[in-house]
Amino acid sequence: MECGPGDGRFTKSPDATEVGDILVQEFYGFNWFHSATIFETDLPVDDGGLLLGFRVRKFHELTYNPGSCMVLLISPDDEIYFRVGRDADRVSDGFSLPSLC
């Protein structure tokens, strides 16, 4: 069984007004598109400080294939969220950037 979306796309950049309006800029010889803007970080989710949340502005469309599953997260207040993003077992919060060499 596959867990997670089978497909996804960003329909526009966070500050765009029209679908398909994607901001692309060149940095260090690579083209990058502006898909999301993080505007709050390290928000406490539980009283024990085990979970941290982030607020992100984006236009993100996900498609789940038949037979796939969603990873659900349940808050201490029994609010249910589905996980979209990096897994909880990652070893670093550093971003992966292409090598300049």
Side-chain angles (χ1 to χ4, degrees):
M1 175 179 290
E2 174 189 336
C3 283
D7 194 18
R9 69 185 182 122
F10 293 95
T11 58
K12 61 183 177 178
S13 291
D15 296 324
T17 57
E18 301 291 326
V19 170
D21 186 9
I22 304 288
L23 174 63
V24 177
Q25 290 183 291
E26 185 267 325
F27 294 98
Y28 310 106
F30 295 92
N31 286 326
W32 300 82
F33 73 92
H34 185 184
S35 58
T37 299
I38 299 170
F39 63 94
E40 286 186 83
T41 62
D42 299 327
L43 300 169
V45 174
D46 64 301
D47 292 337
L50 297 174
L51 300 173
L52 295 175
F54 298 82
R55 295 192 65 195
V56 180
R57 192 171 66 246
K58 64 181 177 175
F59 295 92
H60 193 194
E61 180 180 282
L62 300 173
T63 302
Y64 287 82
N65 296 324
S68 65
C69 64
M70 296 173 68
V71 177
L72 300 179
L73 304 172
I74 302 172
S75 78
D77 296 325
D78 290 326
E79 296 174 289
I80 299 174
Y81 302 89
F82 67 97
R83 187 187 76 197
V84 176
R86 299 181 297 163
D87 64 70
D89 296 328
R90 66 186 176 271
V91 296
S92 169
D93 281 331
F95 295 103
S96 299
L97 296 175
S99 172
L100 297 178
C101 300

